[in-house]
Each structure stands twice: as structure tokens, then as C-alpha cells.
Amino acid sequence: MNLPLPEDDSEPRGDVVSVDIDADLHARIDALAARTGTSMFMVLQAALAAVLTKAGAGTDLPIGSLVAGRSDPRLEPMIGSFFNVVLLRTDTSGSPTFAELLARVRRATWKR
């Protein structure tokens, strides 16, 4: 099953969805990440995957994330932005608990 997304054929561009995370939620996400040996990014990725699966997007979710490409010191004198997209597949099959889903995200992320 595919997740139906709104589209506008006249403008082939994406959109932005802003999410505010208050200080309390930030602290709780950080604490969960610390307890599970993950990062806040992994917690948010798992949460996004869970929401997308509940919305009908399926159980094999490719989630892309921008990464900065300035890790090579030889690029420091160059002008411009260097970005890449890392595609992380998230498997939500079998109705995992959030802890199980987070462990899957951790394993998939550390394979890189």
C-alpha cells in the first residue's frame, strides 16, 4: 500500500513541515537515546517511521536525510555547500514495540 501524498503537477517541488520540540520533550528524547545507546536522530527516525507506517506507508520505509559533506579536510578551502543524501531503510514489519523498532534503526544505521 502506498501512502497518498498531496501533489501539485504544476510545481515539482517539496514542502516543509515544521515540528517544534519543547525543552521537556527534547530532554526526554535525549534521555531515551542515552538509555538505548542511540542518538536523538535515531529516536526521531524511529518515531517518523512508526507514524508513516500507521498512516499506511507500508513497513519497508526508505527515509532520506541530508548530511554535510565537509568531513574531508581537503574541502575546507573550497567555496560552496557540499551535501549528500543518506538513505536509511527502516523495517517496521511485525508490529515491533518502539524499543524493538529503535534497536532496528540502530543496527541499520551502524552498518554504514
Side-chain angles (χ1 to χ4, degrees), residues 31-60:
L32 176 60
R35 274 194 321 273
T36 57
T38 61
S39 66
M40 291 180 69
F41 176 85
M42 291 179 201
V43 172
L44 294 174
Q45 178 187 340
L48 175 61
V51 168
L52 290 174
T53 294
K54 288 280 187 189
T59 60
D60 182 19

Side-chain angles (χ1 to χ4, degrees), residues 32-108:
L32 176 60
R35 274 194 321 273
T36 57
T38 61
S39 66
M40 291 180 69
F41 176 85
M42 291 179 201
V43 172
L44 294 174
Q45 178 187 340
L48 175 61
V51 168
L52 290 174
T53 294
K54 288 280 187 189
T59 60
D60 182 19
L61 302 168
I63 298 174
S65 179
L66 283 177
V67 293
R70 291 286 186 170
S71 57
D72 186 333
R74 295 174 295 178
L75 297 176
E76 288 179 15
M78 299 185 79
I79 297 172
S81 298
F82 297 91
F83 295 100
N84 203 352
V85 176
V86 173
L87 184 65
L88 299 168
R89 291 180 77 173
T90 306
D91 175 14
T92 62
S93 65
S95 299
T97 65
F98 191 75
E100 292 166 340
L101 179 58
L102 192 50
R104 290 180 189 182
V105 167
R106 184 177 186 275
R107 280 192 303 272

